Structure formats: structure tokens, C-alpha cells
Amino acid sequence: MTPPDAAAVHTEMAAFDAELARAESPRDAQSIRDRYLGRKHSVVASWMQAVASAAPDEKRAIGRLANELKHALEGRWARFLEAAEQATRPAGALDATLPGRMPPLGHRHPLTVVRDRMEEIFTRMGFTIVEGPEAEDEWHCFDALNMPPEHPARDMQDTLYLASPIGAGAWASDPSGPDGAEGDDARTLLRTHTSSIQIRYMKTHEPPIRIVAPGRVYRRDDLDLTHSPMFTQVEGLAVGERMSLADLKGTLLAFARAMFSPAARVRFRPSFFPYTEPSAEIDISCWRCEGRGCAMCKQTGWVEVGGSGMVHPAVFEAVGYDAERYTGFAFGIGIERVAILRYQIDDIRLFFENDVRFLEQFPY
Amino acid sequence: MRLLVSWLRDFVDVTASPREMAGRLELCGFEVASIEAHGGQDAVIDLEVTANRPDCLSVIGLAREVATAYDLPLALPSAEPGARIALNPAPVGESSRVTVTVEDDELCPRYAAVVAEVRNDRSPSWIAERLDAVGIRPISAIVDLTNYVLIELGHPTHAFDLARLGGPEIRVRRARAGEMVTTLDGIERRLDPDMLVIADRDRAQAVAGVMGARASEVSSATRTVVFESACFKPASVRRTSKRLGLKTEASARFERGADINAPLLALARIVALMEQAGIGQPLGPLVDRYPSPRQPLPLHLRRQRLAQLLGAPVDDAVVERVLSRLGLMPAASADGWDVVAPTCRVDLLREVDLIEEVGRHYGFDRIEPTFPVVPAPVPPPDVRVPRDRLLRRILTAAGLSEAVTFSFLETDAAQAFVAAAEGDGLVAIANPLSAKFEALRSSLLPGLVDAVAHNRRHGRRDVGLFEIGARFTAGGETRGVAVAWTGAAAPEHWSGGSREVDFFDVKGVVERLSGALDVPLRFEAVRKPFLTPGRAASVLVAEGPLKGAVAGVLGQVVPAVLDARGLPRQDAVLVAELDLDRVWQARGPGAPDVLDDAVATRPLPRHPFVVRDLSIVVADALPAEVIRGTIQAAGRGGPAPLVAISVFDRYHGKGVPDGRVSLSVRLTFQAPDRTLTDADVQESVDAIVATVVREHGAVQR
């Protein structure tokens, strides 16, 4: 510290000016001010302390010098602020804190967000994406899938039928379109699963094949918190000469890790679907509680996401594949189900209300 | 199926706790709905049994699964003295008390009956308590007896009061057209000849496999009963139960398939229990009508196929243990095992069914995941996938958010928009659950307008939505893309300048789609009942093989429709819908793939362009498209090539007579090979002016 004398007042003032001149931001300047003018540990504060500890006869002189320095620095600080203000706000300056004009950008529907993601994951695994009609005939939706008329399984998924058959529409020119194999009394229905697309694909392609079929499906259900007469599925199918249940498990494990959590595990619970044998429910280890038990997994540590199994030989026979030579696996995963789990949605109806406040919460 | 654990322990000495056992059953394919403590040590496990396993709608069936899971012996019902589940098979013969005739052995392949002398008061407590525990109300000794055997062995039986049968005889026949029967639930039902009944000499006394009739119901006065134990064709029981709207414990089992050998087993068990409980004893022999005996199905399981399908080798010892415990009697052969499927396992029909059995009990959990080899490059996806993604990109970039609305709707909601689809009426749903879902949409617009209304009701004034989805008409299913837009064209900003969405915002979106799909579209004024006259246009294909075909519609919704859909009448709601399939088709064969980036670029011009602005006054009613066409044609002949025309102002008012409009058009001239001279440009402009003056009576300003 420079001892308080007249020369020191000028030295400190010059040093203060010089430092302020080098300040790069208002923040810098403020810290310089504090070092000279702050209430503690500053130049002025130390001069004031010097007054207190000075001999009684010197007190008056040093006090005067200290005050002189204080006022001089304060004056310089005020001028500095004014100059800084001038520098940053020239005439006509904008208020940079006002909101900008954002270009418009709408949101994809959450069911599309999930669908796109699933398509991307399965494409990486060698699956191609195929589509098919929503208004379907009974043969493609049931008979070819090992559900002959009177099969009790036709009851499991109660079906919406059309009052009268309709034309093939845009699917007419599709080589996999209806082929009359279903007979004259066939009714048109709203497909209950996208497995009907797999039948169409197998009828027009030879193995090896690997496809996923996304799309809307329909059931004769009332609309409530957990049910909807319309929902969306992605069904997968792989057929080759040595496809196994282990391959199915590996494929779904890769999907679960890409979709839910890198640490996900897959559990198969035996089940029954007419078009697969063996059949299994797909459980994924709960990624929210990591298996410890939470509300999402109902304290079980596992979350069910869909059904799967090895393609039933009767399905291969229906499409003209050699059921001895080829084996295959199939799976079906509900897009709403995945979205509900991923986004913590508690009411399936939100997907179909199209409330913009809901839609805007999803990524672009 | 509610399983009482102590009842299960009659069959298998399993020491595991109910919770542990439930967990094991779950991993064998039986979903556990609940586990309830029952009394001190006992519990009831509520299990979901899949449709292929009617044998497990019984204690014995689930006991066989538990015995297999824990590798324990299963105690089978037996006539041996001291058997844990006692049988008392009566000798088979003809009864002197009742005659039994099966007229239709296709619908009833086996029918067995035994007459018994009984006292029908209350059941002993051990029967009543077990029934109560599994959710069946005890009624009387005889009814409880049939229910006990139903739960224990899974086979439905029925008791007729012999004194109340006309004849006394039993006749298994089809119902007569219009035949009436009052079933045990007190409801009078009309039957038809597709249905099978159990009749006496005169009339139906039961709907076969579904429910008995009031007329021969047992009561406390009953002294002699006929116990029926039969098999009925699953499809027939299912159809009958569905048509009568009557689902029972019996029909649920018969429609999934009953064990052809269960009828005698069930009767032998009834007789044994009847004697044990002091309810009565049989009178005379047991009648068994079984004209075409069925043989158990021999099956073969190959070791190599099993390992290949599961993707895991399973030890022979495990395979043999599982198959034996399931009662399949495996015999080793060169490449695997010969087995015999027991008749109670109606689901075991081929090798793959055996593989599932082994897999289930080996444990799907023990199969290590593998990743299948990718055999070939992935073929491109269905073209609709990248096309629809492109459309979504464009529409979201326009500020519209994607909606997903129901494919069906109320006829009322749709009716106003019917004309949105050309010509065709609505396609009705044959079996809708409610009026809200009674017809299929022929247009995406009703759903989108309702979605706008929903948002408007929740305080949102600016709403822009689009949807891509299927529409249905008698002609078939097509895919469309539609837009509904209301409120401000851009979000409110402090700098001001807010503007309401109008016709040309929506038209611009359609034009953008047309450009993206590389299909030129034209717009033509049209009248549609749901669109405001003067603010409605038809969208037509402008070029190519489908030139002139209608590809969509565009306009402002009329107040009456807004009103009907719960929107304020004064709102401006602009809509557009395109038939995507039609537009896609309009590209014609050999069209460049717009989803690909394989475009051939044009070299950038090397010579400067010249711009001339032209203001002309023409008739207000003259479509801009016509003037544009005229200018284009006139520009073609001149020395300076006309490369662009844009209308940059349209003015009514001072200085322009009524019925006329001033148009300002910017003309851009450019030649690929030279710099244009003023003279060239002037000559071209003069030619254009002369043509619009001549053809449209235009006046240059």
C-alpha cells in the first residue's frame, strides 16, 4: 500500500483510470471498482484504517487525504459508467433482451416420434419398412394367420367389420393386394393387427426377409383411460433358414437397449398367439427404477411392451413357404404403449385429442 | 381360474409357498392376476389361462404344470383302494331307467350318462368350502357335486331330475326351428337348427354344452337324477353361446375343446364323491355313446429341430423329464423322441407344439440372446414411408402440428363434409360399439376441424394442424393429407403486424406440397356445401396422364358447419385436403424420384437478367392464371426470353374503375447466351402489352 500522501492520491487515481481502461466487461469494471472503493479490503478502506491507526496529530491530515481520494475515485467511477453506457447504447440501440421473431415450426405427433424412432432402430438392424391397407379381408387378417373361422382366437381381439365390402382403392395396383383366396362370403374388416401386412409381404417375396410393418389397427373397444378402438402398432417379421427364439430375444434386446436404456434386459414369458409357436410376452427390465420396483412397473421390476414368438408353421403353409426349411420370428409392439412409458402419459385419449398444449411438448 | 392351493396339494406334494409357486407358474405361461391368503395356511391364486389350454381350467391341469415345474410326481385319479383322488367307475352297459339316443354324432362325438338315487340337500362342508374359495356359490348337493368335478377335473357335467324328463329318455338332437327353452337363469330362449340340444321325448331340456333347462332342474324334492357327461363340437358350442349371448363355465371349456376321454372319468369321480359324501349311489350301469373312438395323437420330436428353433441345446435328460411329467410318455428314437399327446391336451398337434412345451419348462430365461446374421442389404422401404416423412417435414416447417384423429366418426359429424370426398357416401361399420364410431371417415377434415374446436374450447385461438391418414369410400381406401388452420398467420410479436390466416396461406401450403412432390397442380373455383362460396377451390392435376383429375379441395369452412362442430361462427377456419395416392399417381411412369436427391442441376446463368415492371388494369373477374398464361405465350415469341413472371401488387380503389383491378406484374428477361439489349427487352415488353390489350382489354397505367 502506498502511504497516504498527496502524491499517493494521484498515483492511485492514475492506476484506477488505467485499470478501468483495460476492463473488458461491466463485470471486470465492477471488480476493479470494488478493489478501490469497496467497503472492505479496498484501497480506500485501507486508507480509512490508516486514519484510525495514525498518531493523533497526523489523523486530521491523513483523514483529509483519504476523503480526497474517495471522492476523486467516486467521481471517476461515475464518469466511467456514463461513458460505458454511451458506448454500449448508441442512439437507436435495440433492447437485445426483447424476444426474437421465431420462424414457425410445428411438432410431429408423439406417435410419429416413436414410430420414426422404432423404424430407425429396426432399419439399423436390417429390417425394411412395409405398409398395407387398414381395411382388410378376413383371410389376410385371420385365416392365413392360423385363425380359421370359429377359431376362439377371433374372439380375443374383437373385430370391427364394415357393413359392406369396399373396393381395393389405392391398394389395387399393389402386387400384394387381395387375391380372392378368401372366398365369396369374405367380409371386410378393420385390421386388428398389422400382421396382415406380413402375410401380403410373404406372398410376394421369398426368404430371407426381415420387415417391420407399422400402422393403425382397430379393435371393438370403448375409449377410456387405457383402451382405444384405434391404436398403432409396429410388427416385425424375420424369416430365414435358421431363425431361432434366441435370435428373437437378441433382436428385441437390441431394440430395448436402443429405445429404453443401454442397461435394459429382456424377459420372455410363455404365452399364446395362434400365429406363433412358441409364443412369448415381451417384458423389459424397468428402466426407471432399474428393477427395484416402482409405480411404472407396478413393483415387479418388469414392464410388458408386446408379444412375440416363432412363426407358426401353419402361417408359412398359408403363404406357400416350406415350413420345414424356413423358420422365423415375429413380434408386435404397441406404439401408444411405448409412448405412454417413455413420456409418462397416464391417459391414452391424449393421443387422439390433439390438444396443442400436449403436442408442443414433444421434440421437433 | 381361481386355484385353491390345498386342493392342488391333493394332486402334488409341493412344499413351495403360494407366492413362489405363482411366480413359477407365471414363467410357464400362466399370468397371475392375484394371490389371496385363505384361512391359515391356504391361498387362492387367480391365474389367466390362455385360450389354447382348456386343460388348465382345472385343478388337475394346473397340478400337472406344477408337478412338471418342480419335477414332482402327480397323483392321478384312480379306482385303486386308498387312491388320493378316488374314482368309482360304474360298469358300462344299457340303463333300464333311461334310453339315450345321439342323433348327431358330429356335434356330439361322445355322450355318457348314469342314473343315480340321491338325496339333494346341502353339501358336506368340505365340498361347499372349496367351491366357495374358488368363487362358486354352493347351491345343493347335486349341483355342487357337478361343480366340484368341473373345477377339479375341468370337465362340465349336468344333472337332470329324471322324474321331470318326459319319456324317460334322452335324445341328443338339433333344435327345431323356433323351438323355445327356458334356461336355468330363467330366460326363455329361441333356438335354431344349428344348435344342439339335449331333449327328452318331447322338448329340449338343455342347450348342449351351454346351460340346462328350468323344466328338469334338480330341487330338494329330487330323488333320481341322470348325470350327463359328454363332449360337444367346440365350434358348435361357441356359435350357440355367442348367438344366445350366454357364456357359462361349461361353454367356456367346451368351446376351447374338451378331452374325449373325460366323460367317463368325470362320471367315475362323481360316483366316488357321491358315495364318499353320502349323497347317493348309482342305479344300474353307465351308458356310453361313443361311435367313433379317437386314438391319442402320436407325435415326434427331433433333437436337432428343438435346438435349432430355440437357439439353445437342451439336455436330453431335461427333455425327457419335462415330457414325462407332462404325461407325454416319451420314447427315445434315433433322432429324438416319440411321444403320445394325452387327449386332454387338445393344443398338441405337431412337433412345434412339443418344442414349446420343452421351451416353457426348460425356461425361456435360460436361452441366451443371439443376434441373427443380416443375410442381405436392406431393401428400400415402402415408398409411402419416405414420402410421408417429407410431407411432415414440410408441414411442420410451415408451423403446423401433426394430429392423429379417429378413422371413424359419427354420421352427423361426417355428413356436413361428405361432399369433401367425391360422390361416394360413407362406409358404415357393421358392429359399432357406439354412435361415435359408426362410420368410416371419407375425409380427414371432420376430424381435423373437431381437433381445432377442441383447442379453441381450451382457450387456444391460433391453431394449425395437419394429418396424414387413410380415408374410406365404397371405392376403397386412399391416403390423404389435410390441413386445418385458424387464428394468426404467425405468432403475435411485440413489433406488431399480426395477420389472420387466410385462403392464400393454406393455398401456399398446398403449392409447397405440389412443388415437393413435383406434381403441378391447378386451382379452380368450386362450390362445396361446407365451404364459403367465393373462398373455395378444387385442386386439379395440371399436367401429365391424370391432367384435369380432381386431387383435392381447399377453402374456408362455412359458419353453419363451424357452429355444428362447436366453433364460433365468426372464426375463419381454412382447410385443405389432398388425395395423396392420386397426386402420387399423377407423377406418371418414369417420373424422377423426388424422394431421392438425384437431381440434375442447371448451370448458373452467365449473362445478366433485366427486370421490367408492368401495371395494367383489367376486369376484376379475370383469373390471374389466365393473364399469366397470356403473358407467357406472348413472351415466347419476343427476342428477349421471358424467364419469370410474378404478380407483386393487386389494387382496387382510387383511379381504378369499378369492376376492374390494377395488376402490377414483374417480368424478368434473361438469355442463356448473350447480354440482352434494351431494344430486345423493349420489343418483348411491347409485344406482351399489345397482347394483353388485345385479348383482355387491358389498359396500361
Side-chain angles (χ1 to χ4, degrees), chain A residues 209-289:
Chain A
I209 59 172
R210 218 176 277 200
I211 56 170
V212 282
R216 295 187 184 190
V217 299
Y218 303 87
R219 304 272 166 91
R220 195 163 176 270
D221 263 332
D222 258 330
L223 185 62
D224 63 26
L225 211 65
T226 53
H227 297 85
S228 168
M230 177 183 92
F231 56 100
T232 332
Q233 269 193 333
V234 171
E235 295 218 357
L237 171 74
V239 182
E241 290 196 348
R242 351 184 44 90
M243 287 291 172
S244 70
L245 194 69
D247 291 334
L248 169 61
K249 219 173 165 182
T251 301
L252 292 171
L253 181 65
F255 164 73
R257 294 195 164 163
M259 190 80 200
F260 298 112
S261 156
R265 284 166 295 131
V266 167
R267 180 177 82 168
F268 277 179
R269 260 181 306 116
S271 187
F272 168 67
F273 309 109
Y275 32 91
T276 50
E277 186 86 19
S279 305
E281 305 284 355
I282 311 160
D283 289 346
I284 311 278
S285 56
C286 183
W287 55 93
R288 196 156 297 152
C289 63

Side-chain angles (χ1 to χ4, degrees), chain A residues 307-325:
Chain A
S308 66
M310 301 306 294
V311 179
H312 198 287
V315 175
F316 285 153
E317 284 154 14
V319 298
Y321 279 9
D322 180 345
E324 184 58 32
R325 180 172 167 199

Side-chain angles (χ1 to χ4, degrees), chain B residues 625-638 640 642 645 667 684 687-689 691-692 694-696:
Chain B
E625 189 184 64
V626 174
I627 300 172
R628 191 189 175 83
T630 307
I631 294 175
Q632 207 151 31
R636 212 166 282 141
L642 176 62
I645 310 167
L667 307 173
S684 284
I688 289 167
V689 172
T691 312
V692 293
R694 190 176 64 244
E695 296 201 359
H696 304 307

Side-chain angles (χ1 to χ4, degrees), chain B residues 71-251:
Chain B
D71 195 21
L72 293 168
L74 179 73
L76 291 171
S78 160
E80 301 286 318
R84 291 165 64 161
I85 298 96
L87 296 180
N88 187 352
V92 174
E94 290 302 324
S95 169
S96 58
R97 291 181 165 80
V98 67
T99 60
V100 176
T101 318
V102 176
E103 289 181 7
D104 192 326
D105 59 15
E106 194 214 329
L107 298 190
C108 177
R110 189 166 199 175
Y111 193 97
V114 69
V115 177
E117 180 180 37
V118 296
R119 255 196 10 257
N120 190 23
D121 30 66
R122 286 172 55 190
S123 298
S125 60
W126 57 274
I127 289 184
E129 279 163 18
R130 280 190 163 181
L131 289 178
D132 201 42
V134 300
I136 292 179
R137 194 166 52 90
I139 293 170
S140 68
I142 298 301
V143 176
D144 294 353
L145 200 53
T146 58
N147 282 334
Y148 190 93
V149 172
L150 173 81
I151 298 300
E152 186 176 68
L153 303 180
H155 195 74
T157 58
H158 183 65
F160 299 98
D161 186 333
L162 182 61
R164 298 171 75 180
L165 285 183
E169 64 180 88
I170 281 178
R171 196 165 279 281
V172 184
R173 59 163 171 84
R174 282 167 184 265
R176 300 185 189 103
E179 187 169 359
M180 304 296 291
V181 65
T182 302
T183 41
L184 288 172
D185 53 9
I187 296 172
E188 193 178 26
R189 298 170 190 275
R190 177 180 293 272
L191 308 176
D192 66 50
D194 276 355
M195 300 175 178
L196 192 72
V197 296
I198 315 302
D200 57 18
R201 187 189 54 213
D202 311 313
R203 55 184 177 144
Q205 291 292 356
V207 181
V210 182
M211 193 179 264
R214 263 281 164 85
S216 52
E217 184 181 7
V218 292
S219 66
S220 56
T222 301
R223 289 293 165 265
T224 326
V225 297
V226 186
F227 285 109
E228 160 198 297
S229 184
C231 279
F232 302 108
K233 188 182 172 182
S236 160
V237 173
R238 183 178 140 76
R239 212 168 32 228
T240 302
S241 149
K242 249 189 129 166
R243 205 166 309 162
L244 294 179
L246 182 58
K247 263 192 183 308
T248 60
E249 293 276 348
S251 73

Side-chain angles (χ1 to χ4, degrees), chain B residues 213-470:
Chain B
R214 263 281 164 85
S216 52
E217 184 181 7
V218 292
S219 66
S220 56
T222 301
R223 289 293 165 265
T224 326
V225 297
V226 186
F227 285 109
E228 160 198 297
S229 184
C231 279
F232 302 108
K233 188 182 172 182
S236 160
V237 173
R238 183 178 140 76
R239 212 168 32 228
T240 302
S241 149
K242 249 189 129 166
R243 205 166 309 162
L244 294 179
L246 182 58
K247 263 192 183 308
T248 60
E249 293 276 348
S251 73
R253 286 168 174 82
F254 280 124
E255 71 175 40
R256 286 172 167 81
D259 176 0
I260 195 74
N261 287 319
L264 298 198
L265 180 73
L267 286 182
R269 182 66 179 144
I270 283 177
V271 171
L273 286 168
M274 189 167 62
E275 290 176 340
Q276 187 186 340
I279 298 167
Q281 57 269 319
L283 290 174
L286 180 155
V287 182
D288 183 19
R289 298 281 177 263
Y290 187 27
S292 340
R294 285 187 206 160
Q295 297 307 316
L297 188 64
L299 293 170
H300 184 66
L301 173 62
R302 289 166 297 172
R303 184 179 292 107
Q304 189 258 335
R305 186 73 173 178
L306 172 74
Q308 199 244 303
L309 201 71
L310 294 182
V314 182
D315 278 352
D316 282 7
V318 173
V319 177
E320 281 160 24
R321 176 173 68 69
V322 168
L323 295 177
S324 306
R325 289 293 184 210
L326 288 174
L328 299 176
M329 301 184 287
S333 75
D335 64 346
W337 300 269
D338 290 316
V339 307
V340 179
T343 48
C344 64
R345 290 300 304 270
V346 293
D347 60 318
L348 301 183
L349 299 171
R350 50 203 295 175
E351 185 183 33
V352 68
D353 301 321
L354 302 175
I355 295 176
E356 176 168 72
E357 293 306 290
V358 174
R360 273 193 317 123
H361 282 285
Y362 170 71
F364 285 174
D365 251 15
R366 291 168 62 189
I367 296 172
E368 283 301 317
T370 53
F371 194 82
V373 172
V374 178
V378 188
D382 188 310
V383 72
R384 295 166 186 91
V385 174
R387 180 196 68 190
D388 293 355
R389 279 190 194 153
L390 172 68
L391 299 180
R392 280 191 190 95
R393 221 163 69 212
I394 291 168
L395 293 164
T396 51
L400 305 166
S401 282
E402 186 182 14
V404 172
T405 70
F406 284 111
S407 300
F408 17 62
L409 29 61
E410 272 173 284
T411 312
D412 280 355
Q415 218 62 55
F417 290 91
V418 163
E422 310 145 59
D424 297 314
L426 290 176
V427 177
I429 302 265
N431 56 337
L433 255 190
S434 80
K436 280 178 82 171
F437 308 123
E438 65 193 352
L440 283 172
R441 62 180 178 188
S442 57
S443 156
L444 303 174
L445 294 178
L448 273 185
V449 169
D450 280 358
V452 168
H454 168 90
N455 281 288
R456 196 74 172 80
R457 272 198 303 280
H458 290 83
R460 187 85 174 207
R461 215 188 67 88
D462 308 331
V463 189
L465 295 172
F466 75 91
E467 180 170 17
I468 299 172

